[in-house]
Amino acid sequence: MVSYLAAGELTQIKKAFTGVTQDAIFSNNPFIINKKGKVNRIKINHFNVLKNFLKGRKTFEESKNLRRLIEQKVSKRLFDKIKKLNKEVVISVSNFTVNKTEYKALSECNHADFLDWIWISCNFVPFMSLVIKNRYEYADGGFGCIIAIEEAIRRGATEIDAIMLNTEV
């Protein structure tokens, strides 16, 4: 979402993200979702999780479909537009190998690496992929820092937009 905000493409946010399904994220969904009235009841799909562990994976499921979706939504054109506008987008990721939060700036990345960092920052383990990049294991930046406001201020931000997502329960 932040890439669209940085590029000033606000109308594209809803179009890009409101139709995302479980299949667009997972290759083998670790959840069973039953709708009862207006409430979704979510349970672990133990069979799918067991299959994943038998394949030698460390998490309940892989989110490689999400990586492909991000590549479709954050195009090279959008990436180049943000760079041309001289806007900075910083991704927060957790490096599990060295147990620290890292910040990956768009200005320091090529398009493919930027997409990887976005994907990694979305991966909430144990439900999603633990990604190996540059010989380190990475996942969601929220493990070390829920909202990187202090890092944004350290980098010179004078205005900060924070998107807070809440679950129904």
Side-chain angles (χ1 to χ4, degrees):
M1 285 190 249
V2 174
S3 299
Y4 284 92
L5 287 171
E9 297 187 12
L10 304 180
T11 58
Q12 296 298 318
I13 293 173
K14 183 176 181 180
K15 182 179 171 185
F17 295 101
T18 56
V20 177
T21 64
Q22 295 289 315
D23 290 338
I25 298 170
F26 300 107
S27 56
N28 190 19
N29 196 342
F31 303 110
I32 297 171
I33 302 171
N34 295 314
K35 192 166 185 114
K36 193 169 190 176
K38 293 183 178 182
V39 177
N40 286 333
R41 296 188 181 255
I42 303 170
K43 298 188 288 189
I44 301 293
N45 184 333
H46 292 92
F47 179 71
N48 284 354
V49 170
L50 179 62
K51 282 192 317 188
N52 217 41
F53 287 137
L54 290 174
K55 291 178 183 176
R57 299 202 174 99
K58 295 180 179 181
T59 58
F60 292 178
E61 189 45 69
E62 295 291 312
S63 63
K64 292 178 181 169
N65 289 358
L66 177 59
R67 173 59 174 81
R68 285 189 286 279
L69 178 67
I70 291 167
E71 188 168 0
Q72 292 170 7
K73 302 298 181 185
V74 183
S75 66
K76 179 82 165 82
R77 180 202 62 79
L78 181 64
F79 176 82
D80 290 340
K81 180 178 180 180
I82 297 166
K83 276 199 167 191
K84 186 176 179 183
L85 290 169
N86 203 28
K87 299 281 183 159
E88 188 62 279
V89 175
V90 180
I91 308 297
S92 172
V93 295
S94 293
N95 183 327
F96 281 70
T97 306
V98 297
N99 195 30
K100 76 175 204 177
T101 302
E102 296 178 13
Y103 301 97
K104 308 298 182 179
L106 177 138
S107 62
E108 300 164 356
C109 297
N110 62 37
H111 182 240
D113 284 339
F114 185 66
L115 297 178
D116 283 345
W117 295 125
I118 292 172
W119 172 50
I120 289 166
S121 76
C122 296
N123 282 322
F124 187 74
V125 293
F127 302 104
M128 300 169 83
S129 299
L130 185 62
V131 179
I132 297 173
K133 186 165 178 72
N134 305 329
R135 298 188 314 254
Y136 295 104
E137 290 182 325
Y138 287 99
D140 179 13
F143 281 101
C145 181
I146 293 178
I147 301 175
I149 292 173
E150 186 176 340
E151 178 67 14
I153 293 168
R154 191 182 69 69
R155 288 176 179 256
T158 56
E159 294 181 38
I160 298 171
D161 294 317
I163 300 169
M164 308 299 258
L165 302 175
N166 293 320
T167 60
E168 291 177 25
V169 179

